[in-house]
Amino acid sequence: MEKFFLGTYTKRLSKGIYSFDFDVNTGEPSRLKLVGTAGNPTYLAMGNNNLIYCIDNSSQYSLNNGGIKVFDVSQNPAKIVYHLHDAPISGAYISFDKNTRRLFTANYHANQLSMYRVNQSSCTLLDRIDDIGEVGPEKEQKDGPHPHFINLTPEGRVVVCDLGLDKIFIYDISNKNRLELKTTFTLPAGFGPRHIRFDLKRKVSYVVGELSSNVATLKYDEKSGIFGLIQITHTIPAWWNRYNGAAAIRISKDFKNLYVTNRGYNSVAVFEIHEHGYLKLIQNVECGGDFPRDLKFSLDDRFALVANQKSDNLSVFKRQKASGLLELVNNNFKVPEPTAIVALK
Ligand SMILES: O=C1O[C@H](COP(=O)(O)O)[C@@H](O)[C@H](O)[C@H]1O
């Protein structure tokens, strides 16, 4: 049995973060449980010692601010061990680096990136050590900054995807814990970079474009932090003329396949990864619900779990080991407004 956690919106049905069990023999999810309450915890990060960090976008906070809640999920019921109020976080992303115990947040609506140091003994107390970006009035998606993703690169720099500016930023972390801009890479106008994944085998990265329904393969030089464009390819067919927002992007652990979810076209695009990171679309399978916001593999990559935000369900796909193709095995597990899936490792 594997354990997973769900981030959600709390606009209709959900109350916060949920957990469920997943049977790796049968592919059946079960035992949905509310782990802890939070307002729109749309992203989660797994920390050390079974701690989960989540964004708390409750209305109690001032405009453009939110909170960060830390849950100890080794306890049953899970216990809230720390609650940071009024942090510069609103929407988007939270990530945690287990080695350096740093937490990163991207404020999508008000354009601010923050870096925290997490207290060593308890792994809870958050000390905000740097901020960058100008907090300002929210702009339309294409008309201003919207940092949507912040995490570490394989060599330990900070990478940020800005969906509104069509840019990828690389920062060094200085000895004084300052985020110092190292390089900038600009994608074609309207690309809408949402998330980035690094392919450790080929030394390239893949960026999903929410606004363009594209995925870009970029070569990445770890020494200089410089990106270069290799290929841009579509995640949906050219004839689709209704809304689509590409969302999750995941690489299989064997580095053979890349998966992108399509919100609107409601599918999972499956790519074969070729030399230098060239992608070939081999399948666009119906996601088994509406608005597939996240996709996560079981630990052995035999199953892919898809969180369908608007239809409030989880779809389970069997992944063929040789080809990477997906086959829907069930989609009747009800989960409220799911937006993110993380695994308890
Ligand atoms: O993941 C996403 O998040 C942003 C912000 O969401 P919000 O609930 O804080 O408004 C959203 O605009 C974007 O489309 C989506 O990909």
Side-chain angles (χ1 to χ4, degrees):
M1 211 55 98
E2 284 175 21
K3 200 172 200 69
F4 289 91
F5 296 87
L6 291 170
T8 68
Y9 274 113
T10 54
K11 293 180 179 173
R12 294 181 288 109
L13 306 167
S14 170
K15 303 268 176 270
I17 300 180
Y18 292 78
S19 68
F20 65 91
D21 294 336
F22 182 70
D23 187 326
V24 284
N25 296 314
T26 63
E28 288 290 333
S30 63
R31 287 165 41 98
L32 183 74
K33 265 204 273 180
L34 179 66
V35 168
T37 56
N40 295 318
T42 50
Y43 251 91
L44 311 176
M46 201 73 215
N48 295 316
N49 306 339
N50 295 319
L51 296 181
I52 286 190
Y53 299 80
C54 82
I55 302 168
D56 178 33
N57 281 316
S58 316
S59 52
Q60 59 175 295
Y61 300 110
S62 52
L63 188 68
N64 293 330
N65 273 12
I68 298 174
K69 282 185 170 176
V70 189
F71 292 96
D72 179 352
V73 294
S74 66
Q75 311 217 18
N76 193 1
K79 208 172 113 201
I80 177 153
V81 285
Y82 190 69
H83 188 177
L84 182 73
H85 292 273
D86 248 351
I89 173 78
S90 168
Y93 209 80
I94 185 163
S95 57
F96 183 78
D97 176 42
K98 291 186 177 179
N99 296 324
T100 58
R101 294 189 319 281
R102 286 195 178 102
L103 184 91
F104 302 93
T105 59
N107 187 332
Y108 177 87
H109 296 288
N111 182 29
Q112 191 166 31
L113 304 166
S114 302
M115 177 167 68
Y116 298 80
R117 190 173 25 218
V118 176
N119 167 286
Q120 181 169 17
S121 52
S122 66
C123 285
T124 51
L125 265 187
L126 303 181
D127 177 17
R128 197 157 105 228
I129 48 180
D130 201 16
D131 280 328
I132 43 172
E134 291 292 314
V135 177
E138 182 168 11
K139 301 261 177 36
E140 288 299 313
Q141 273 193 315
K142 290 186 186 176
D143 296 341
H146 284 290
H148 203 313
F149 177 95
I150 181 166
N151 212 330
L152 291 187
T153 60
E155 81 281 11
R157 292 193 176 106
V158 171
V159 58
V160 172
C161 296
D162 194 310
L163 178 140
L165 300 180
D166 294 316
K167 288 188 191 303
I168 312 286
F169 299 104
I170 294 285
Y171 296 90
D172 278 329
I173 304 176
S174 75
N175 295 338
K176 292 185 175 157
N177 280 317
R178 296 271 88 88
L179 290 168
E180 291 175 353
L181 185 62
K182 174 92 180 157
T183 64
T184 304
F185 181 78
T186 307
L187 285 145
F191 186 91
R194 184 177 193 265
H195 287 179
I196 185 168
R197 304 277 170 214
F198 289 86
D199 180 334
L200 304 176
K201 188 173 157 193
R202 302 176 184 86
K203 304 281 181 211
V204 299
S205 63
Y206 309 100
V207 183
V208 62
E210 171 174 333
L211 306 181
S212 58
S213 302
N214 280 333
V215 55
T217 302
L218 308 179
K219 66 173 181 262
Y220 181 65
D221 178 34
E222 292 186 1
K223 215 163 156 220
S224 62
I226 293 177
F227 289 102
L229 183 62
I230 293 179
Q231 182 200 25
I232 291 185
T233 187
H234 299 306
T235 67
I236 52 170
W239 53 261
W240 182 258
N241 54 16
R242 305 216 303 271
Y243 172 81
N244 189 65
I249 178 165
R250 303 278 183 190
I251 308 172
S252 58
K253 291 187 188 75
D254 57 15
F255 295 103
K256 283 186 184 166
N257 300 98
L258 182 86
Y259 298 80
V260 173
T261 62
N262 287 307
R263 294 172 294 181
Y265 186 63
N266 284 345
S267 75
V268 181
V270 183
F271 297 90
E272 264 172 13
I273 309 179
H274 292 266
E275 217 184 335
H276 307 303
Y278 278 95
L279 300 175
K280 182 180 169 212
L281 184 70
I282 56 168
Q283 185 185 26
N284 222 329
V285 62
E286 271 184 46
C287 69
D290 189 7
F291 226 65
R293 183 120 172 184
D294 203 6
L295 179 151
K296 182 89 183 152
F297 297 110
S298 58
L299 286 183
D300 59 6
D301 270 10
R302 284 177 51 236
F303 293 98
L305 312 181
V306 173
N308 296 305
Q309 182 191 323
K310 290 191 182 170
S311 50
D312 306 306
N313 70 315
L314 193 88
S315 301
V316 179
F317 292 86
K318 199 162 197 166
R319 175 177 177 265
Q320 283 179 22
K321 197 172 166 23
S323 63
L325 292 171
L326 298 181
E327 184 197 341
L328 184 68
V329 287
N330 66 66
N331 64 342
N332 50 17
F333 189 62
K334 295 303 283 179
V335 289
E337 305 176 69
T339 53
I341 312 174
V342 298
L344 181 69
K345 281 183 223 124

